[in-house]
Amino acid sequence: MKTSLNDHQYILYSKQMLLTDVSEQGQLALMNAEVIVVGVGGLGQLVAQYLAASGVGQIHLIDDDKVTLSNLPRQLLFSANDIDVNKAHVAAGKLQQRNRDSKILAHSVRLAPENYLQLFNAISPQVIFDCSDNFATRQLINRIAVEQHLPLFSAAISADQGQWFAYLPESVLTNLSATNIKPHGCYHCVFPADSLLSQNCSQMGVLGPAVGIMASMQALAGMNHIIGRQVEFGVLHRFDAKRLSWSKATMPIDKHCCVCR
Amino acid sequence: MITIHINGELQQLADNQTLAELLVCKQVAPQSVAVVVNQAIIPRSEWSQYQCQADDQIEFFSAVAGG
């Protein structure tokens, strides 16, 4: 566990630490954090860049996909030389080279009900970022967050519609003293597993900056939580990338939810 | 009759109509949407109990899952 910064780190992270409620204590919290990013596509590659550049201590990148030509306009960490190479490996290699204070670990697997326990038995993340690109994986990550007692920062976008939320499992909430965070619903409370999606990511277009906005919100909310700032958990934020407008709604608990109840 | 807002548009509705009935009336498949009433999501399991009130601001929207 890091308890102090060296001279180089003081200068490197000075703009973050100039925020009075971040300071050296918040920077050390980032540097001692271990996080997991599921999906290293449009969302994940940017979330990972922000986390690594801010000094987050350990970042696990999970993705079994390979870089393709059509990824390049929005997945700016990748270049034409990376095509056909695993995204988690490419991202980990590049981020490790740029960010010496972080340990970036690539897991070139598709997170699935059959393999997630093996992974989570080997690592100890304190936060999970859902940057995946399909509904089934989102349901699984939500279940993992509940089971493993992990704060979840989740974002999604298809075409011009973005959604993001932060979720804190009740088991974590009850362990937090002096908190004013109220119990709230999980992803399954909002979208049960049998929900039908009108928009399938692989069939829909999307503009790079729209993905970047969602990833930035997700990364910022996660960093705020690690630093110890108050985060609005249990609120679903929706972004209309055409009108550039936001709306939000609280996520009450579904008393019949088979995941978090 | 009462007046409510659905996705920003004024709509007339019979008294005592539930969210579940409203979705049937609008021909919206229940599994295809989440429903927000006055900035709070109403879980699907409660749609048949929630009776729409005058001036309710109701929104339907789908999950998006891309990334």
Side-chain angles (χ1 to χ4, degrees), chain B residues 7 10 13 18 42 44 49-50 55:
Chain B
N7 288 350
L10 278 175
L13 205 67
T18 66
I42 309 291
R44 197 193 293 169
Q49 288 101 57
Y50 184 89
D55 299 323

Side-chain angles (χ1 to χ4, degrees), chain A residues 39-41 61-66 86-88 107-110:
Chain A
V40 193
L61 302 177
I62 301 184
D63 205 321
D64 69 333
D65 272 352
K66 292 174 178 172
N86 174 262
K87 287 182 177 180
H107 305 265
S108 55
V109 294
R110 185 177 190 83

Side-chain angles (χ1 to χ4, degrees), chain A:
Chain A
M1 183 168 165
K2 291 185 178 67
T3 54
S4 63
L5 305 177
N6 62 34
D7 291 347
H8 177 79
Q9 290 165 336
Y10 265 111
I11 298 168
L12 179 61
Y13 302 118
S14 58
K15 286 292 183 185
Q16 297 174 183
M17 290 190 290
L18 277 170
L19 293 165
T20 51
D21 59 344
V22 177
S23 69
E24 186 176 346
Q25 195 180 358
Q27 185 58 45
L28 286 168
L30 288 169
M31 296 175 81
N32 286 313
E34 180 175 356
V35 307
I36 184 164
V37 178
V38 183
V40 193
L43 296 168
Q45 58 85 33
L46 188 56
V47 167
Q49 288 185 71
Y50 276 128
L51 297 176
S54 72
V56 167
Q58 276 197 69
I59 305 172
H60 299 274
L61 302 177
I62 301 184
D63 205 321
D64 69 333
D65 272 352
K66 292 174 178 172
V67 178
T68 65
L69 183 62
S70 68
N71 294 152
L72 302 186
R74 67 191 177 285
Q75 300 181 21
L76 306 182
L77 185 60
F78 306 131
S79 64
N81 292 336
D82 303 320
I83 288 172
D84 288 334
V85 185
N86 174 262
K87 287 182 177 180
H89 275 290
V90 174
K94 292 187 180 186
L95 293 176
Q96 191 63 81
Q97 201 170 21
R98 291 183 208 167
N99 304 283
R100 299 291 165 84
D101 292 325
S102 299
K103 189 175 174 189
I104 322 280
L105 300 115
H107 305 265
S108 55
V109 294
R110 185 177 190 83
L111 199 65
E114 303 77 39
N115 66 14
Y116 81 85
L117 275 178
Q118 190 184 355
L119 177 68
F120 279 83
N121 284 340
I123 63 177
S124 309
Q126 65 192 76
V127 167
I128 184 165
F129 291 90
D130 182 351
C131 304
S132 64
D133 64 358
N134 66 88
F135 191 61
T137 304
R138 291 183 179 280
Q139 290 288 340
L140 176 62
I141 293 169
N142 178 65
R143 184 177 290 276
I144 291 170
V146 173
E147 281 180 12
Q148 304 283 324
H149 319 295
L150 288 173
L152 166 63
F153 297 88
S154 175
I157 186 161
S158 290
D160 290 310
Q161 300 302 313
Q163 296 172 358
W164 82 267
F165 67 91
Y167 169 69
L168 197 62
E170 227 170 310
S171 55
V172 181
L173 246 178
T174 50
N175 288 332
L176 290 176
S177 56
T179 178
N180 55 3
I181 305 165
K182 293 189 176 69
H184 46 270
C186 71
Y187 187 60
H188 190 276
C189 294
V190 179
F191 296 116
D194 63 353
S195 297
L196 304 169
L197 273 67
S198 61
Q199 296 171 322
N200 179 323
C201 172
S202 59
Q203 296 162 350
M204 304 297 292
V206 72
L207 292 173
V211 185
I213 284 167
M214 301 314 294
S216 298
M217 296 298 282
Q218 182 178 20
L220 181 57
M223 284 173 61
N224 277 342
H225 174 70
I226 293 167
I227 288 164
R229 290 172 149 187
Q230 193 158 335
V231 171
E232 199 175 35
F233 287 99
V235 175
L236 180 70
H237 301 258
R238 290 184 291 142
F239 178 59
D240 183 327
K242 208 181 249 183
R243 295 179 179 177
L244 303 182
S245 61
W246 287 92
S247 59
K248 62 181 184 178
T250 55
M251 299 166 55
I253 293 166
D254 176 359
K255 291 182 290 238
H256 302 283
C257 180
C258 61
V259 175
C260 69
R261 295 291 93 200

